[in-house]
Each structure stands twice: as C-alpha cells, then as structure tokens.
Amino acid sequence: MEAHEIDYQIYGEEMQFVEIELDPQEGVVAEAGSFMMMDDGIKMETIFGDGSSKNKGFLDSILGAGKRILTGESLFMTAFYNNLNGKRKVSFASPYPGKIIPIDLTAFNGKFICQKDAFLCAAKGVSIGIEFSKRLGRGLFGGEGFIMQKLEGNGKAFVHAGGTMVRKELKAGEVLRVDTGCIIGFTQNVDYDIEFVGGIRNTVFGGEGLFFAKLQGPGTVYIQSLPFSRLAGRVLASAPKGGGKDKGEGSILGGLGDLLDGDNRF
C-alpha cells in the first residue's frame, strides 16, 4: 500500500508534539495514548495492528496485533482520517521529555529499525512490524532483547527520544560504541552487535553495565542522551523509602534542610 503524503510541524523544545496536516481522505496511524488534539471533521478509528494494508483479512489483523504484543505494545493502534473537504490537523505528543524525530522512509530505502517503544505515529500505509535479532549475544545482553521494531514503506514516520538526540552518519567500516539503552534506531545496513566492556575494574566498579552496543557502518544512527529506563531508575532511586523519608536532596541536614529552604510539607 502506498503511504499517504502528509505535511507536519513539530512544536516545543523539551516536551514536543507533532502537528500533522491531512488533506481530504488522508490518514495517519498512531500509538495508543499519544493523541493530543484534532480539528473538527477528523474521524478516529481503533484498529488491530498497524492498518498498513487495505485488504487485510481478520487472521492477518490478528497476526499483526500479535506481533505488537511481542514488542510490548498495545494490541490496538488508532487511525485518524480526514473525511471532509479542506485540510484538517491532528496532533500527537511525546510521552516524556525529549525530541520527536521525523523519519522519511524513502530516504532510507524503505526501512528503519528502532527500539521497541520509540514509535509515535506514521502516515497511513507505513507498516510497523518486528525485527528479530539473529545473534544470541545481542538478544541476551543487548538491552532490547531479540525483538526491535521495524518501520517499512514509502511514507513519513515519527519516533521519539529521551533528552537530546544525536544523528551519526557512519562510513563503511566505521564503528560507534553506545550504551545499549541510548539507541533510538538505525538504518537497515548498519551492523548491530554487543561487545563486552572488558577489564575487572570496569566490569565490577564501572557502573556502566557489562556490554556496549557496537554499531558498524555504513548507515545512519540516532542516539538519545536520556533513555526513559534511565530516567525512571533515577526517579525511583530518589523516591521516599521506609516510612516516607526522602534523601534530603543531598543535604547533610536531611529533613532540617527542607525546613530551611522553604519545603515545609508534612
């Protein structure tokens, strides 16, 4: 199925949203829970899988939904259509602080591989599937397991990243080592594997995990500075524990420091 040609505008800095302009009969599919707002006249429809084919049968739809379960996503996606004359707009928001990245699949030979929770929305006709790792080490220690998402087609898709995004263009044979959680996605020609950090001190005391992700060109790689798992881990580490006492934000005065700086909640 040919993907719909959509226009878009990304707004914001730390908490971004993407506004997509739909011509009559154009549509966009989005991850459940990412919807923000839409103009009057746009029809919303909940679908199995990604709805990338017009003539999918029931069993094909079930298969598509089953693939989404393997990536940890919802059984359903949401499609938005402009059924009226004239242009209409619909917006989707990033789920946590970071950047929304437009991916033109035609520029990447019709395929882009990304981490399981990176996809936000895409033009109707783009296929959102799964990519299995063929390497045991990558599957066991690569952070994303055996399964990643793949976006296929000839339209535009949007993925989101935590913190700041960096795009790297790798030449043939060029190697980039990355924390496994910091990968957003990469083009299909990039060779992705994991590599042991090495050294007893690095392994035991380094605090960076046991493995790097090894990305070898040629191809394009997108990296994020703050994976959601890292953000959530630090929030949990700072949460009150044992009777509601907090860490005093690093102050040696603890709760007394809170009284002095104006935080007088009890």
Side-chain angles (χ1 to χ4, degrees):
M1 177 182 177
E2 291 289 321
H4 295 182
E5 295 182 10
I6 57 175
D7 299 314
Y8 70 93
Q9 180 71 43
I10 295 175
Y11 295 92
E13 295 297 331
E14 287 77 21
M15 286 296 293
Q16 293 187 328
F17 72 93
V18 57
E19 180 185 75
I20 295 176
E21 185 177 77
L22 300 177
D23 291 329
Q25 308 309 313
E26 281 186 344
V28 61
V29 293
E31 201 62 72
S34 63
F35 168 72
M36 179 179 172
M37 61 181 175
M38 64 183 177
D39 290 343
D40 187 34
I42 290 182
K43 178 185 177 183
M44 182 176 72
E45 179 183 348
T46 300
I47 58 176
F48 271 117
D50 57 17
S52 57
S53 175
K54 278 185 175 180
N55 300 315
K56 269 189 176 180
F58 179 74
L59 292 179
D60 289 331
S61 297
I62 292 293
L63 180 61
K67 290 179 180 179
R68 289 179 50 75
I69 290 179
L70 290 176
T71 62
E73 304 293 347
S74 167
L75 272 171
F76 301 94
M77 297 189 73
T78 310
F80 298 82
Y81 304 96
N82 179 9
N83 290 330
L84 300 181
N85 294 325
K87 298 178 183 293
R88 295 292 186 274
K89 295 178 180 179
V90 58
S91 299
F92 305 95
S94 178
Y96 50 86
K99 301 296 180 183
I100 295 176
I101 307 162
I103 302 294
D104 186 353
L105 293 174
T106 57
F108 295 143
N109 296 319
K111 183 177 179 180
F112 184 79
I113 301 167
C114 60
Q115 63 171 303
K116 291 183 289 187
D117 60 351
F119 173 73
L120 185 67
C121 60
K124 188 73 168 64
V126 170
S127 172
I128 300 96
I130 57 176
E131 180 80 4
F132 286 99
S133 172
K134 298 180 178 64
R135 295 178 178 174
L136 180 62
R138 171 180 156 188
L140 294 177
F141 307 112
E144 295 301 329
F146 288 96
I147 304 169
M148 297 181 76
Q149 281 187 329
K150 63 179 178 181
L151 310 177
E152 293 181 298
N154 56 2
K156 289 186 175 66
F158 300 86
V159 298
H160 60 83
T164 300
M165 183 275 295
V166 178
R167 173 173 169 161
K168 293 284 189 179
E169 298 290 344
L170 301 182
K171 299 176 182 178
E174 184 178 0
V175 172
L176 181 68
R177 290 175 175 84
V178 185
D179 180 273
T180 54
C182 289
I183 298 173
I184 304 168
F186 46 86
T187 53
Q188 57 185 310
N189 292 330
V190 172
D191 183 63
Y192 171 39
D193 202 355
I194 58 100
E195 184 177 90
F196 182 60
V197 170
I200 294 178
R201 281 185 297 179
N202 290 335
T203 303
V204 179
F205 304 111
E208 299 298 337
L210 300 180
F211 299 91
F212 293 131
K214 179 182 177 184
L215 304 170
Q216 183 170 337
T220 303
V221 177
Y222 290 89
I223 306 297
Q224 59 185 342
S225 66
L226 184 61
F228 180 71
S229 58
R230 184 179 297 176
L231 174 63
R234 292 182 178 178
V235 170
L236 288 174
S238 299
K241 299 180 180 68
K245 295 180 180 180
D246 62 22
K247 296 172 63 176
E249 297 185 358
S251 170
I252 61 173
L253 298 177
L256 180 58
D258 290 338
L259 291 175
L260 295 177
D261 69 9
D263 188 351
N264 300 319
R265 293 169 295 175
F266 294 97

